[in-house]
Amino acid sequence: MGWSCARVRRRLPLYCGGDLTIAERQPLTLHLKTCRSCHRYHAELEESLAALREGEPSACVIPGGSLWPEVRAVVLAGQRQAAPYRYWRIGSGWAAAACMLVALTMWLQQRGTNPPAPAMRYFRSDIISDPWLSGSRVQPVAQFTEPERPWPVARRKDDWLILPLLPGGSSPYGFDGDLRYVGDKGN
Amino acid sequence: MDKTARLLENQELRVDGATDARLVENVRAGDPEAFGVLVTRYEKKLVRVIGRLVHDRELALDLAQETFLRAYKRLDQFDSSRRFAPWLFQIGVNLCVDHLRRRRRGWLSVFTDAEKDGKYEAVSPDPRPHEELSQEVRHVLEQIPLKYRTVLVLRDLEGFSCSEVAAIAGRQEATIRWRLSRARDMFRRLWLERNRSKEVG
């Protein structure tokens, strides 16, 4: 039983290029002898393949004759760079360690000679319990024993009062007011 | 001095005649000059393949150079039990495909650039008819999708076997045969259409 044209045409491109075995070629050869349509299709394939092979230039010119000199230069440059890079990495590691040591020494020195900077704590005025200060009326809610101090004073609801604290947690500036510690600002 | 030169020459001859696997081993052992033999052995074919895919001479040279550099860097990953050429061409073809995908927007510009300066020196007694045919073939090839064009170039223009093309493309041989069949049929159809339009025009 012969092959159908569709089946033959699926294989004809491989037939033309010599990509079929002898056994695979045989039924196609037989079919081409009897089918004019497939014969024409085969001729078109042969013609186009011949044009493809003839039309594409087969020779090319490489400037300088070879790519190797340029490739070689890059390869050798890469090898030369490789060794200094390793040394640079080792050197940079030592430099980083030295910098850290210097920074640590400076920090320890500073810690021993200078008093610690006062920690800043945030207080919020609590005027809910004081009807006199309700609403948004501007009133002082804290009276410092040292009123000339330039620290900001909470003046209305939801204002923030910033007080410097000693390491123990107490404030060097006494105040007389109804204040509530609410933790760090933003909490 | 003559003796040394003769020795070096003999060594070069031995290296030139060495197999790819032997040369790769030499490179791995720290002899970069052995890679030079591999470069000179495959550069023309590689530039030609890449040139047929990108249709731009300068770009083909750049991509071929990049291919060799990548191959050199990845030589440790190369399996010596396999053939070197398909592995090298796989790197080159992948580079081409990546490049063409990146600049897919400008296939037309690639074509016009190639027309401007991308002419390979064709071996032909009278270049004019050959140039015309070459332009037509190139134009038809441009219209074929890249995955089919790659197979067509490697098999029909460079003469790689289907199994080698499969190794280069990283696909099954059956897939390559199917793509090859489709690619030849596409080329036939486009070639006929072009001829017909020329006749009508």
Side-chain angles (χ1 to χ4, degrees):
Chain A
M1 186 178 169
W3 283 19
S4 69
C5 288
R7 190 177 177 191
V8 168
R9 287 184 185 202
R10 274 200 301 274
R11 295 188 175 218
L12 269 179
L14 297 177
Y15 179 91
C16 289
D19 296 301
L20 296 178
T21 62
I22 296 172
E24 286 170 331
R25 290 178 66 87
Q26 201 171 13
L28 301 183
T29 309
L30 285 174
H31 184 92
L32 288 175
K33 282 178 183 169
T34 57
C35 179
R36 287 173 63 90
S37 166
C38 287
H39 186 77
R40 198 175 64 202
Y41 179 80
H42 175 242
E44 288 171 359
L45 269 172
E46 292 281 8
E47 185 195 339
S48 61
L49 271 178
L52 172 68
R53 286 167 183 156
E54 191 186 343
E56 273 289 282
S58 59
C60 69
V61 176
I62 297 173
S66 174
L67 292 173
W68 174 234
E70 290 177 35
V71 174
R72 184 175 184 272
V74 178
V75 164
L76 293 181
Q79 283 183 342
R80 274 197 297 272
Q81 278 176 358
Y85 178 65
R86 282 199 296 274
Y87 292 127
W88 178 81
R89 284 182 70 185
I90 294 167
S92 65
W94 282 111
C99 285
M100 287 174 70
L101 194 63
V102 168
L104 183 66
T105 310
M106 287 172 69
W107 179 71
L108 287 172
Q109 275 185 344
Q110 195 178 21
R111 196 182 174 208
T113 54
N114 297 336
M120 304 299 278
R121 286 286 176 85
Y122 296 92
F123 290 81
R124 196 175 68 187
S125 58
D126 186 357
I127 58 175
I128 304 301
S129 60
D130 189 346
W132 189 67
L133 297 174
S134 63
S136 61
R137 292 170 61 191
V138 178
Q139 292 291 337
V141 294
Q143 295 292 326
F144 287 90
T145 52
E146 299 176 57
E148 70 278 4
R149 282 287 173 184
W151 303 109
V153 174
R155 292 189 180 278
R156 63 182 128 181
K157 184 180 179 181
D158 293 335
D159 272 0
W160 291 89
L161 181 64
I162 303 171
L163 294 176
L165 297 180
L166 291 177
S170 61
S171 170
Y173 313 108
F175 57 88
D176 180 15
D178 189 8
L179 299 173
R180 185 165 61 89
Y181 173 66
V182 293
D184 292 335
K185 191 173 183 180
N187 288 344
Chain B
M1 188 67 186
D2 285 346
K3 196 176 175 182
T4 314
R6 216 177 300 125
L7 273 172
L8 281 172
E9 195 179 336
N10 287 341
Q11 193 178 1
E12 278 179 13
L13 282 175
R14 274 208 308 277
V15 168
D16 280 342
T19 62
D20 291 351
R22 178 65 182 274
L23 291 168
V24 168
E25 289 307 318
N26 287 353
V27 179
R28 282 173 173 167
D31 177 18
E33 297 300 329
F35 193 69
V37 182
L38 289 169
V39 171
T40 49
R41 193 172 281 180
Y42 291 109
E43 61 186 352
K44 284 190 176 166
K45 197 167 184 175
L46 183 66
V47 171
R48 211 166 48 220
V49 168
I50 294 175
R52 281 169 168 162
L53 291 175
V54 300
H55 286 138
D56 183 335
R57 181 171 175 250
E58 294 302 318
L59 180 61
L61 290 169
D62 287 347
L63 287 174
Q65 189 176 332
E66 180 62 24
T67 302
F68 283 119
L69 288 172
R70 285 200 184 185
Y72 185 83
K73 283 178 191 166
R74 297 178 187 173
L75 216 53
D76 289 338
Q77 301 168 21
F78 172 63
D79 180 3
S80 299
S81 63
R82 294 172 60 193
R83 292 185 57 202
F84 178 76
W87 181 75
L88 177 72
F89 279 83
Q90 185 178 30
I91 296 174
V93 168
N94 286 343
L95 262 176
C96 274
V97 170
D98 289 345
H99 181 85
L100 291 175
R101 280 181 183 154
R102 274 200 300 272
R103 50 184 285 189
R104 187 185 288 269
R105 57 172 180 81
W107 261 116
L108 189 61
S109 69
V110 170
F111 180 58
T112 49
D113 286 347
E115 274 188 334
K116 272 189 290 185
D117 56 5
K119 290 183 176 61
Y120 288 89
E121 198 172 274
V123 182
S124 171
D126 181 4
R128 281 171 301 174
H130 193 277
E131 283 296 315
E132 193 182 333
L133 178 67
S134 173
Q135 293 292 331
E136 288 179 10
V137 167
R138 184 178 296 173
H139 183 72
V140 171
L141 272 177
E142 297 279 353
Q143 298 174 59
I144 297 177
L146 188 58
K147 65 179 180 182
Y148 297 108
R149 185 165 16 125
T150 307
V151 175
L152 201 62
V153 165
L154 291 172
R155 176 73 188 101
D156 285 337
L157 298 180
E158 291 301 332
F160 283 103
S161 68
C162 279
S163 60
E164 286 172 329
V165 177
I168 291 170
R171 294 282 184 275
Q172 296 288 325
E173 196 175 332
T175 309
I176 294 302
R177 280 162 64 93
W178 182 79
R179 280 188 189 177
L180 184 62
S181 177
R182 292 267 335 250
R184 284 174 180 159
D185 188 52
M186 279 181 205
F187 187 85
R188 177 199 67 85
R189 185 169 46 78
L190 291 166
W191 186 252
L192 277 181
E193 281 173 11
R194 188 167 177 81
N195 285 346
R196 279 174 196 151
S197 66
K198 269 175 67 180
E199 284 166 12
V200 170

